[in-house]
Coordinates of all heavy atoms in Angstrom, one line a residue:
M1 N 0.8 -1.2 0.0 CA 0.0 0.0 0.0 C 0.9 1.3 0.0 O 1.8 1.4 0.8 CB -0.9 0.0 1.2 CG -2.2 0.7 1.0 SD -3.4 0.4 2.3 CE -2.8 1.4 3.6
Q2 N 0.5 2.2 -0.8 CA 1.3 3.4 -0.9 C 0.8 4.4 0.1 O -0.4 4.6 0.3 CB 1.2 4.0 -2.3 CG 2.2 3.4 -3.3 CD 2.5 4.4 -4.4 OE1 1.7 5.1 -4.9 NE2 3.8 4.4 -4.8
K3 N 1.8 5.1 0.7 CA 1.5 6.2 1.6 C 1.1 7.4 0.9 O 1.8 7.9 0.0 CB 2.7 6.5 2.5 CG 2.6 5.8 3.8 CD 3.7 6.4 4.7 CE 3.6 5.8 6.1 NZ 4.7 6.2 7.0
R4 N -0.1 7.9 1.2 CA -0.5 9.2 0.6 C 0.0 10.3 1.6 O -0.2 10.2 2.8 CB -2.0 9.3 0.4 CG -2.3 8.8 -1.0 CD -3.7 9.2 -1.3 NE -4.7 8.8 -0.3 CZ -5.8 9.4 -0.1 NH1 -6.2 10.5 -0.8 NH2 -6.7 8.9 0.8
K5 N 0.4 11.4 1.0 CA 0.9 12.5 1.8 C -0.4 13.3 2.2 O -1.1 13.8 1.4 CB 1.8 13.4 1.0 CG 3.2 13.3 1.4 CD 4.0 14.5 1.0 CE 5.4 14.4 1.6 NZ 6.3 15.4 1.0
P6 N -0.6 13.4 3.5 CA -1.7 14.3 4.0 C -1.4 15.7 3.7 O -0.2 16.1 3.7 CB -1.8 13.9 5.4 CG -0.4 13.5 5.8 CD 0.2 12.9 4.6
P7 N -2.5 16.5 3.6 CA -2.2 18.0 3.5 C -1.6 18.6 4.7 O -2.0 18.2 5.8 CB -3.6 18.5 3.2 CG -4.6 17.5 3.7 CD -3.9 16.2 3.6
V8 N -0.7 19.4 4.5 CA 0.1 20.0 5.6 C -0.3 21.5 5.8 O -0.4 22.2 4.8 CB 1.6 19.8 5.4 CG1 2.4 20.6 6.4 CG2 2.0 18.4 5.5
R9 N -0.5 21.9 7.0 CA -0.8 23.3 7.3 C 0.2 23.8 8.4 O 0.8 23.0 9.1 CB -2.2 23.5 7.8 CG -3.3 23.1 6.8 CD -3.4 24.2 5.7 NE -4.4 23.8 4.8 CZ -4.3 23.0 3.7 NH1 -3.1 22.4 3.5 NH2 -5.3 22.8 2.9
M10 N 0.3 25.1 8.5 CA 1.2 25.6 9.4 C 0.5 26.2 10.6 O -0.5 26.9 10.5 CB 2.1 26.7 8.8 CG 3.3 27.1 9.7 SD 4.1 28.5 9.0 CE 3.1 29.9 9.5
C11 N 0.9 25.9 11.8 CA 0.4 26.5 13.0 C 0.8 27.9 13.1 O 2.0 28.2 13.0 CB 0.8 25.7 14.3 SG 0.5 26.5 15.8
I12 N -0.1 28.8 13.3 CA 0.3 30.2 13.4 C 0.9 30.6 14.7 O 1.4 31.7 14.9 CB -0.9 31.2 13.0 CG1 -2.1 31.0 14.0 CG2 -1.4 31.0 11.6 CD1 -3.0 32.1 13.9
G13 N 0.8 29.7 15.7 CA 1.4 30.0 17.0 C 2.9 29.6 17.0 O 3.7 30.5 17.2
C14 N 3.2 28.4 16.8 CA 4.6 27.9 16.9 C 5.3 27.8 15.5 O 6.5 27.6 15.4 CB 4.7 26.6 17.6 SG 3.9 25.2 16.8
G15 N 4.5 27.9 14.4 CA 5.1 27.9 13.1 C 5.4 26.5 12.6 O 6.0 26.3 11.5
A16 N 5.0 25.4 13.4 CA 5.3 24.1 12.9 C 4.4 23.6 11.8 O 3.2 24.0 11.8 CB 5.1 23.1 14.1
H17 N 4.9 22.9 10.9 CA 4.1 22.3 9.8 C 3.6 21.0 10.2 O 4.4 20.1 10.6 CB 4.9 22.3 8.5 CG 5.1 23.6 7.9 ND1 6.2 24.4 8.3 CD2 4.5 24.3 6.9 CE1 6.1 25.5 7.6 NE2 5.1 25.5 6.8
K18 N 2.3 20.8 10.2 CA 1.8 19.5 10.6 C 0.7 19.0 9.7 O 0.1 19.8 8.9 CB 1.2 19.7 12.0 CG 2.2 19.9 13.1 CD 1.5 19.8 14.4 CE 2.6 19.9 15.5 NZ 2.0 19.7 16.8
D19 N 0.4 17.8 9.8 CA -0.8 17.2 9.2 C -2.0 18.0 9.6 O -2.2 18.3 10.7 CB -0.9 15.7 9.7 CG -2.0 15.0 9.0 OD1 -3.1 15.6 8.6 OD2 -1.9 13.8 8.9
K20 N -2.8 18.4 8.6 CA -4.0 19.2 8.8 C -4.9 18.6 9.9 O -5.5 19.4 10.7 CB -4.8 19.2 7.5 CG -5.7 20.3 7.3 CD -6.3 20.2 5.9 CE -7.7 20.7 5.9 NZ -8.4 20.4 4.7
R21 N -4.9 17.3 10.0 CA -5.8 16.7 11.0 C -5.3 16.8 12.4 O -6.0 16.6 13.4 CB -6.0 15.2 10.7 CG -6.9 15.0 9.5 CD -6.8 13.5 9.0 NE -5.4 13.2 8.7 CZ -5.0 12.0 8.3 NH1 -5.8 11.0 8.1 NH2 -3.7 11.8 8.0
E22 N -4.0 17.2 12.5 CA -3.4 17.4 13.9 C -3.5 18.9 14.3 O -3.1 19.3 15.4 CB -1.9 17.0 13.9 CG -1.7 15.6 13.8 CD -0.3 15.2 13.6 OE1 0.6 15.9 14.2 OE2 0.0 14.3 12.8
L23 N -4.1 19.7 13.4 CA -4.3 21.1 13.8 C -5.8 21.4 13.8 O -6.6 20.7 13.3 CB -3.7 22.0 12.7 CG -2.2 21.8 12.5 CD1 -1.7 22.5 11.2 CD2 -1.4 22.3 13.7
I24 N -6.1 22.5 14.5 CA -7.5 22.9 14.5 C -7.6 24.2 13.8 O -6.7 25.1 13.8 CB -8.0 23.0 16.0 CG1 -9.5 23.3 15.9 CG2 -7.3 24.1 16.8 CD1 -10.3 22.7 17.1
R25 N -8.7 24.4 13.0 CA -8.9 25.5 12.2 C -9.5 26.6 13.0 O -10.5 26.4 13.8 CB -9.8 25.2 11.0 CG -9.8 26.2 10.0 CD -10.5 25.7 8.7 NE -10.6 26.7 7.7 CZ -11.8 27.2 7.3 NH1 -12.9 26.7 7.8 NH2 -11.9 28.1 6.4
V26 N -9.1 27.8 12.9 CA -9.7 29.0 13.4 C -10.3 29.8 12.3 O -9.6 29.9 11.2 CB -8.7 29.9 14.1 CG1 -9.3 31.0 14.9 CG2 -7.8 29.1 15.1
V27 N -11.5 30.2 12.4 CA -12.1 30.8 11.3 C -12.7 32.1 11.6 O -13.2 32.3 12.7 CB -13.2 29.8 10.6 CG1 -14.4 29.7 11.5 CG2 -13.5 30.2 9.2
R28 N -12.7 33.1 10.7 CA -13.4 34.3 10.8 C -14.5 34.4 9.8 O -14.2 34.4 8.6 CB -12.4 35.5 10.6 CG -13.1 36.8 10.7 CD -12.0 38.0 10.7 NE -12.7 39.2 10.9 CZ -12.9 40.1 9.9 NH1 -12.4 39.9 8.7 NH2 -13.5 41.2 10.1
N29 N -15.7 34.3 10.2 CA -16.8 34.3 9.3 C -17.1 35.7 8.8 O -16.6 36.7 9.2 CB -18.0 33.5 9.9 CG -18.6 34.3 11.0 OD1 -18.4 35.5 11.2 ND2 -19.4 33.6 11.8
K30 N -18.1 35.7 7.9 CA -18.4 37.0 7.3 C -19.1 38.0 8.2 O -19.1 39.2 8.0 CB -19.2 36.9 6.0 CG -20.5 36.2 6.1 CD -21.1 36.2 4.7 CE -22.6 35.8 4.6 NZ -23.0 34.7 5.4
E31 N -19.6 37.5 9.4 CA -20.1 38.4 10.4 C -18.9 39.0 11.3 O -19.1 39.7 12.2 CB -21.1 37.7 11.3 CG -22.5 37.5 10.7 CD -22.5 36.3 9.7 OE1 -21.8 35.3 10.0 OE2 -23.3 36.4 8.7
G32 N -17.7 38.5 11.0 CA -16.6 39.0 11.8 C -16.3 38.2 13.0 O -15.5 38.6 13.9
E33 N -17.1 37.1 13.2 CA -16.9 36.3 14.5 C -15.7 35.4 14.3 O -15.6 34.8 13.2 CB -18.2 35.5 14.7 CG -19.4 36.3 15.1 CD -20.6 35.5 15.1 OE1 -20.7 34.4 14.4 OE2 -21.5 35.8 15.9
I34 N -15.0 35.2 15.3 CA -13.8 34.4 15.3 C -14.0 33.2 16.2 O -14.4 33.4 17.4 CB -12.5 35.1 15.7 CG1 -12.3 36.2 14.6 CG2 -11.3 34.2 15.8 CD1 -11.3 37.3 15.0
R35 N -13.9 32.0 15.6 CA -14.2 30.8 16.5 C -13.4 29.6 15.9 O -12.8 29.7 14.8 CB -15.6 30.5 16.5 CG -16.3 30.4 15.1 CD -17.8 30.2 15.2 NE -18.4 31.3 15.9 CZ -19.6 31.3 16.4 NH1 -20.3 30.2 16.3 NH2 -20.1 32.3 17.1
L36 N -13.3 28.6 16.7 CA -12.7 27.4 16.3 C -13.6 26.6 15.4 O -14.8 26.6 15.6 CB -12.2 26.5 17.5 CG -11.2 27.1 18.4 CD1 -10.9 26.1 19.5 CD2 -10.0 27.5 17.7
D37 N -13.1 25.9 14.4 CA -13.8 25.2 13.5 C -13.3 23.8 13.4 O -12.5 23.4 12.6 CB -13.7 25.9 12.1 CG -14.3 25.0 11.0 OD1 -15.2 24.2 11.3 OD2 -14.0 25.2 9.9
P38 N -13.8 22.9 14.4 CA -13.3 21.5 14.4 C -13.6 20.7 13.2 O -12.9 19.8 12.9 CB -13.9 20.9 15.7 CG -14.6 22.1 16.4 CD -14.8 23.2 15.4
T39 N -14.6 21.1 12.5 CA -15.0 20.4 11.3 C -14.1 20.8 10.1 O -14.0 20.0 9.1 CB -16.5 20.6 10.9 OG1 -16.6 22.0 10.5 CG2 -17.4 20.2 12.0
G40 N -13.5 22.0 10.2 CA -12.7 22.5 9.0 C -13.6 22.9 7.8 O -13.1 23.1 6.7
K41 N -14.9 23.0 8.1 CA -15.8 23.3 6.9 C -16.5 24.6 7.0 O -17.3 24.9 6.1 CB -16.8 22.1 6.8 CG -16.1 20.8 6.3 CD -17.1 19.7 6.3 CE -16.4 18.4 5.9 NZ -17.0 17.2 6.6
M42 N -16.3 25.3 8.0 CA -17.0 26.6 8.1 C -16.5 27.6 7.1 O -15.3 27.6 6.7 CB -16.8 27.2 9.5 CG -17.9 26.7 10.5 SD -17.5 26.9 12.2 CE -17.5 28.7 12.3
A43 N -17.4 28.4 6.6 CA -17.1 29.4 5.6 C -16.3 30.5 6.2 O -16.7 30.9 7.4 CB -18.3 29.9 4.9
G44 N -15.4 31.1 5.6 CA -14.7 32.2 6.1 C -13.2 32.0 5.9 O -12.7 31.1 5.4
R45 N -12.5 33.0 6.5 CA -11.0 33.0 6.4 C -10.5 32.1 7.5 O -10.9 32.2 8.6 CB -10.6 34.4 6.6 CG -9.3 34.7 5.8 CD -9.1 36.2 5.8 NE -7.7 36.4 5.6 CZ -7.2 37.5 5.1 NH1 -7.9 38.5 4.9 NH2 -5.9 37.6 5.0
G46 N -9.6 31.3 7.2 CA -9.1 30.3 8.2 C -7.6 30.4 8.5 O -6.8 30.9 7.7
A47 N -7.3 30.0 9.7 CA -5.9 29.8 10.1 C -5.8 28.6 10.9 O -6.9 28.0 11.3 CB -5.5 31.0 10.9
Y48 N -4.6 28.0 11.1 CA -4.5 26.8 11.8 C -3.7 26.9 13.0 O -2.8 27.7 13.1 CB -3.9 25.7 10.9 CG -4.9 25.3 9.8 CD1 -5.0 26.0 8.6 CD2 -5.8 24.2 10.0 CE1 -5.9 25.7 7.6 CE2 -6.7 23.9 9.0 CZ -6.8 24.6 7.9 OH -7.7 24.3 6.9
L49 N -4.0 26.1 14.0 CA -3.4 26.1 15.3 C -3.2 24.6 15.8 O -4.1 23.8 15.5 CB -4.2 26.7 16.4 CG -4.0 28.2 16.7 CD1 -5.0 28.6 17.8 CD2 -2.6 28.5 17.2
C50 N -2.1 24.4 16.5 CA -2.0 23.1 17.2 C -3.1 23.0 18.2 O -3.6 24.0 18.7 CB -0.7 23.0 18.0 SG 0.8 23.1 16.9
Y51 N -3.4 21.8 18.6 CA -4.3 21.5 19.8 C -3.6 21.9 21.0 O -3.4 21.0 21.9 CB -4.8 20.1 19.8 CG -5.9 19.8 18.9 CD1 -5.7 19.3 17.6 CD2 -7.3 19.9 19.3 CE1 -6.7 19.0 16.7 CE2 -8.3 19.7 18.4 CZ -8.0 19.2 17.2 OH -9.1 18.9 16.3
D52 N -3.2 23.1 21.2 CA -2.3 23.4 22.3 C -2.5 24.9 22.7 O -2.3 25.8 21.9 CB -0.8 23.2 21.8 CG 0.1 23.2 23.0 OD1 -0.2 23.9 24.0 OD2 1.2 22.6 22.9
V53 N -2.9 25.0 23.9 CA -3.3 26.4 24.4 C -2.0 27.3 24.3 O -2.1 28.5 24.1 CB -3.8 26.3 25.8 CG1 -4.0 27.7 26.4 CG2 -5.2 25.6 25.8
S54 N -0.8 26.7 24.5 CA 0.4 27.6 24.4 C 0.6 28.2 23.1 O 1.1 29.3 22.9 CB 1.6 26.8 24.9 OG 1.9 25.8 24.0
C55 N 0.1 27.5 22.0 CA 0.2 28.0 20.7 C -0.7 29.2 20.5 O -0.4 30.2 19.9 CB 0.0 27.0 19.6 SG 1.4 25.8 19.5
L56 N -1.9 29.0 21.1 CA -2.9 30.1 21.0 C -2.4 31.3 21.8 O -2.5 32.5 21.3 CB -4.2 29.6 21.7 CG -5.4 30.6 21.7 CD1 -5.8 31.0 20.3 CD2 -6.6 30.0 22.4
Q57 N -1.7 31.0 22.9 CA -1.2 32.2 23.7 C -0.1 32.9 23.0 O 0.1 34.1 23.1 CB -0.7 31.6 25.1 CG -1.9 31.4 26.0 CD -1.6 30.5 27.2 OE1 -0.5 30.0 27.3 NE2 -2.5 30.4 28.2
K58 N 0.7 32.1 22.2 CA 1.8 32.6 21.5 C 1.3 33.6 20.4 O 1.8 34.7 20.2 CB 2.6 31.6 20.8 CG 4.0 31.3 21.4 CD 4.7 30.2 20.6 CE 5.1 29.2 21.6 NZ 5.5 27.9 21.0
C59 N 0.2 33.2 19.7 CA -0.3 34.1 18.7 C -1.1 35.2 19.3 O -1.3 36.2 18.6 CB -1.0 33.3 17.6 SG -2.6 32.7 18.0
R60 N -1.5 35.0 20.5 CA -2.2 36.2 21.2 C -1.1 37.2 21.5 O -1.4 38.4 21.3 CB -2.8 35.6 22.5 CG -3.5 36.6 23.3 CD -4.2 35.9 24.5 NE -5.0 36.9 25.3 CZ -5.9 36.5 26.2 NH1 -6.2 35.2 26.3 NH2 -6.6 37.4 26.9
K61 N 0.0 36.8 21.9 CA 1.1 37.7 22.3 C 1.7 38.4 21.0 O 1.9 39.6 21.1 CB 2.2 36.9 23.0 CG 2.9 37.7 24.0 CD 4.1 36.9 24.6 CE 3.6 35.9 25.7 NZ 4.7 35.1 26.2
T62 N 1.8 37.7 20.0 CA 2.4 38.2 18.8 C 1.4 38.9 17.8 O 1.8 39.4 16.8 CB 3.2 37.2 18.0 OG1 2.3 36.1 17.6 CG2 4.3 36.6 18.8
Q63 N 0.1 38.8 18.2 CA -0.9 39.4 17.3 C -1.0 38.7 16.0 O -1.4 39.3 15.0 CB -0.7 40.9 17.1 CG -0.7 41.7 18.4 CD -2.0 41.8 19.0 OE1 -3.0 42.2 18.4 NE2 -2.2 41.5 20.3
K64 N -0.5 37.5 15.9 CA -0.4 36.8 14.6 C -1.8 36.5 14.0 O -2.1 36.6 12.8 CB 0.3 35.5 14.7 CG 1.7 35.6 14.4 CD 2.3 34.4 13.7 CE 3.8 34.6 13.4 NZ 4.6 33.6 14.1
L65 N -2.7 36.2 14.9 CA -4.1 35.9 14.5 C -4.8 37.2 13.9 O -5.4 37.1 12.9 CB -4.9 35.3 15.6 CG -6.1 34.5 15.3 CD1 -5.9 33.4 14.4 CD2 -6.8 34.0 16.6
A66 N -4.6 38.2 14.7 CA -5.1 39.5 14.2 C -4.6 39.9 12.9 O -5.3 40.4 12.0 CB -4.8 40.6 15.3
R67 N -3.3 39.6 12.7 CA -2.7 39.9 11.4 C -3.2 39.1 10.3 O -3.5 39.5 9.2 CB -1.1 39.8 11.5 CG -0.5 41.1 11.0 CD 1.0 41.0 11.2 NE 1.4 41.1 12.6 CZ 2.6 40.7 13.1 NH1 3.5 40.2 12.3 NH2 2.8 40.8 14.4
S68 N -3.4 37.8 10.5 CA -3.8 36.9 9.4 C -5.3 37.2 9.1 O -5.8 36.9 8.0 CB -3.5 35.4 9.6 OG -3.9 35.0 10.9
F69 N -6.1 37.7 10.1 CA -7.4 38.0 9.8 C -7.6 39.5 9.5 O -8.7 40.0 9.3 CB -8.3 37.6 11.0 CG -8.5 36.1 11.2 CD1 -8.7 35.6 12.4 CD2 -8.5 35.3 10.1 CE1 -8.8 34.2 12.6 CE2 -8.7 34.0 10.2 CZ -8.8 33.4 11.5
S70 N -6.5 40.3 9.6 CA -6.5 41.7 9.4 C -7.7 42.4 10.2 O -8.5 43.1 9.6 CB -6.5 42.2 8.0 OG -7.0 41.3 7.1
C71 N -7.7 42.1 11.5 CA -8.7 42.8 12.3 C -8.2 42.7 13.8 O -7.3 42.0 14.1 CB -10.1 42.1 12.2 SG -10.1 40.5 12.9
Q72 N -8.8 43.5 14.6 CA -8.5 43.5 16.0 C -9.2 42.3 16.7 O -10.3 42.0 16.3 CB -9.0 44.8 16.7 CG -8.3 46.0 16.2 CD -6.9 46.2 16.8 OE1 -6.8 45.8 18.0 NE2 -6.0 46.6 16.1
I73 N -8.5 41.7 17.6 CA -9.1 40.6 18.3 C -9.2 40.9 19.8 O -8.1 41.0 20.4 CB -8.4 39.3 18.0 CG1 -8.4 39.0 16.5 CG2 -9.1 38.1 18.8 CD1 -7.6 37.8 16.1
P74 N -10.4 41.1 20.3 CA -10.5 41.5 21.7 C -10.1 40.3 22.6 O -10.2 39.1 22.2 CB -12.0 41.8 21.9 CG -12.6 41.6 20.6 CD -11.7 41.0 19.6
D75 N -9.8 40.6 23.9 CA -9.4 39.6 24.8 C -10.4 38.6 25.1 O -10.1 37.4 25.2 CB -9.1 40.3 26.2 CG -7.6 40.8 26.3 OD1 -6.8 40.5 25.4 OD2 -7.4 41.6 27.2
E76 N -11.7 39.0 25.1 CA -12.7 38.0 25.4 C -12.8 36.9 24.2 O -13.2 35.8 24.5 CB -14.1 38.6 25.7 CG -14.7 39.5 24.6 CD -14.4 40.9 24.8 OE1 -13.3 41.3 25.4 OE2 -15.2 41.8 24.4
V77 N -12.4 37.3 23.0 CA -12.4 36.4 21.9 C -11.3 35.3 22.2 O -11.6 34.1 22.0 CB -12.2 37.0 20.6 CG1 -12.0 36.0 19.5 CG2 -13.5 37.9 20.2
Y78 N -10.2 35.8 22.6 CA -9.1 34.9 22.9 C -9.5 33.9 24.1 O -9.2 32.7 24.0 CB -7.8 35.6 23.2 CG -7.0 36.1 22.0 CD1 -6.9 37.4 21.8 CD2 -6.4 35.1 21.2 CE1 -6.1 37.8 20.6 CE2 -5.7 35.6 20.1 CZ -5.6 36.9 19.8 OH -4.9 37.3 18.7
D79 N -10.1 34.5 25.1 CA -10.5 33.7 26.2 C -11.5 32.6 25.7 O -11.4 31.5 26.2 CB -11.2 34.6 27.3 CG -10.2 35.5 27.9 OD1 -8.9 35.2 27.8 OD2 -10.6 36.5 28.5
G80 N -12.4 33.0 24.9 CA -13.4 32.1 24.3 C -12.7 31.0 23.5 O -13.0 29.8 23.6
L81 N -11.7 31.4 22.7 CA -11.0 30.4 21.9 C -10.2 29.4 22.8 O -10.2 28.2 22.5 CB -10.0 31.1 20.9 CG -10.6 31.9 19.8 CD1 -9.5 32.6 19.0 CD2 -11.4 31.0 18.8
E82 N -9.7 30.0 23.8 CA -8.9 29.2 24.7 C -9.7 28.1 25.4 O -9.4 26.9 25.5 CB -8.2 30.1 25.8 CG -7.0 29.4 26.4 CD -6.2 30.4 27.3 OE1 -5.8 31.5 26.7 OE2 -6.1 30.1 28.5
A83 N -10.9 28.5 25.8 CA -11.8 27.6 26.5 C -12.3 26.5 25.5 O -12.4 25.3 25.8 CB -13.0 28.4 27.0
Q84 N -12.6 27.0 24.3 CA -13.1 26.0 23.3 C -12.0 25.1 22.9 O -12.2 23.9 22.6 CB -13.6 26.8 22.0 CG -14.6 26.0 21.2 CD -14.9 26.7 19.9 OE1 -14.6 27.9 19.7 NE2 -15.5 25.9 19.0
L85 N -10.7 25.6 22.8 CA -9.6 24.7 22.4 C -9.4 23.6 23.4 O -9.2 22.5 23.1 CB -8.3 25.6 22.3 CG -7.1 24.8 21.8 CD1 -7.3 24.2 20.5 CD2 -5.9 25.8 21.8
L86 N -9.5 24.0 24.7 CA -9.4 23.0 25.8 C -10.4 21.9 25.6 O -10.2 20.7 25.8 CB -9.4 23.6 27.1 CG -8.2 24.4 27.6 CD1 -8.5 25.2 28.8 CD2 -7.0 23.5 27.8
K87 N -11.6 22.3 25.3 CA -12.7 21.4 25.2 C -12.5 20.5 24.0 O -12.7 19.3 24.0 CB -14.0 22.2 25.0 CG -15.2 21.6 25.8 CD -16.5 22.4 25.6 CE -16.5 23.7 26.3 NZ -17.7 24.5 25.9
E88 N -12.1 21.1 22.8 CA -11.8 20.3 21.6 C -10.7 19.3 21.8 O -10.7 18.2 21.3 CB -11.5 21.2 20.5 CG -12.7 22.1 20.0 CD -13.9 21.2 19.5 OE1 -13.7 20.1 19.1 OE2 -15.0 21.7 19.6
K89 N -9.7 19.8 22.5 CA -8.5 18.9 22.8 C -9.0 17.7 23.6 O -8.5 16.6 23.3 CB -7.5 19.7 23.6 CG -6.2 19.0 23.7 CD -5.2 19.8 24.4 CE -3.9 19.1 24.6 NZ -2.9 19.8 25.4
E90 N -9.8 17.9 24.5 CA -10.3 16.8 25.3 C -11.1 15.8 24.4 O -10.9 14.6 24.5 CB -11.2 17.4 26.4 CG -11.3 16.5 27.6 CD -12.1 17.2 28.7 OE1 -11.7 18.3 29.1 OE2 -13.1 16.7 29.1
A91 N -12.0 16.4 23.6 CA -12.8 15.6 22.7 C -11.9 14.8 21.8 O -12.2 13.7 21.5 CB -13.8 16.5 22.0
A92 N -10.9 15.5 21.3 CA -10.0 14.8 20.3 C -9.2 13.7 20.9 O -9.0 12.6 20.3 CB -9.0 15.8 19.7
S93 N -8.8 13.8 22.2 CA -8.1 12.8 22.8 C -9.0 11.6 23.2 O -8.6 10.4 23.2 CB -7.3 13.3 24.1 OG -8.2 13.7 25.0
V94 N -10.2 11.9 23.5 CA -11.2 10.8 23.7 C -11.4 10.0 22.4 O -11.4 8.8 22.4 CB -12.5 11.4 24.3 CG1 -13.6 10.3 24.3 CG2 -12.3 11.9 25.7
A95 N -11.6 10.7 21.3 CA -11.8 10.1 20.0 C -10.7 9.2 19.6 O -10.8 8.3 18.9 CB -12.2 11.2 19.0
A96 N -9.5 9.6 20.0 CA -8.3 8.9 19.5 C -8.1 7.6 20.2 O -7.4 6.7 19.8 CB -7.0 9.8 19.8
E97 N -8.8 7.4 21.3 CA -8.6 6.1 22.1 C -9.4 5.0 21.5 O -10.4 5.2 20.8 CB -9.0 6.3 23.5 CG -7.8 6.8 24.4 CD -8.3 7.4 25.7 OE1 -9.3 6.8 26.2 OE2 -7.7 8.3 26.2
Ligands
LIG101 ZN1 1.7 25.2 17.3

């Protein structure tokens, strides 16, 4: 059986290139809402992050997310993303077992 190369995306927090399935998509929809998109199918502008709160905190510090979405991101949005990321991480680790 031949190995197929999975699509690779870059985490905007740590800059690591990873299999798309190992990253979580962050999306900014046309209403300007920013949220995590575990399905990877939401419409809007997307960026990718590791399932790791420290990567989210890194891009919070460097404003990388704000830059890739070209908008301001308020603290409460980051707090919401962080909470959602923890939840998704938990769900993903349960699914992996
Ligand atoms: Zn990362």
Side-chain angles (χ1 to χ4, degrees):
M1 209 167 77
Q2 274 206 322
K3 259 193 179 173
R4 268 197 304 155
K5 254 200 171 169
V8 170
R9 295 288 182 275
M10 193 185 81
C11 167
I12 60 165
C14 64
H17 288 82
K18 289 191 177 184
D19 185 329
K20 201 176 149 192
R21 287 167 304 182
E22 291 174 36
L23 298 168
I24 189 152
R25 190 166 176 251
V26 187
V27 74
R28 177 173 184 251
N29 66 18
K30 61 179 190 314
E31 283 80 33
E33 294 171 331
I34 294 162
R35 52 185 59 194
L36 296 182
D37 171 23
T39 64
K41 285 175 187 151
M42 271 162 67
R45 212 166 155 160
Y48 289 85
L49 263 183
C50 301
Y51 277 92
D52 194 332
V53 171
S54 69
C55 287
L56 181 64
Q57 285 165 347
K58 252 180 232 163
C59 71
R60 182 175 182 164
K61 214 184 278 174
T62 59
Q63 302 286 311
K64 267 214 179 117
L65 199 56
R67 231 175 291 162
S68 50
F69 289 148
S70 26
C71 68
Q72 293 285 321
I73 301 174
D75 276 347
E76 59 263 31
V77 170
Y78 278 114
D79 292 341
L81 288 177
E82 202 170 304
Q84 204 190 345
L85 182 61
L86 286 171
K87 226 184 277 172
E88 292 301 336
K89 191 180 176 183
E90 206 176 303
S93 64
V94 169
E97 273 167 29

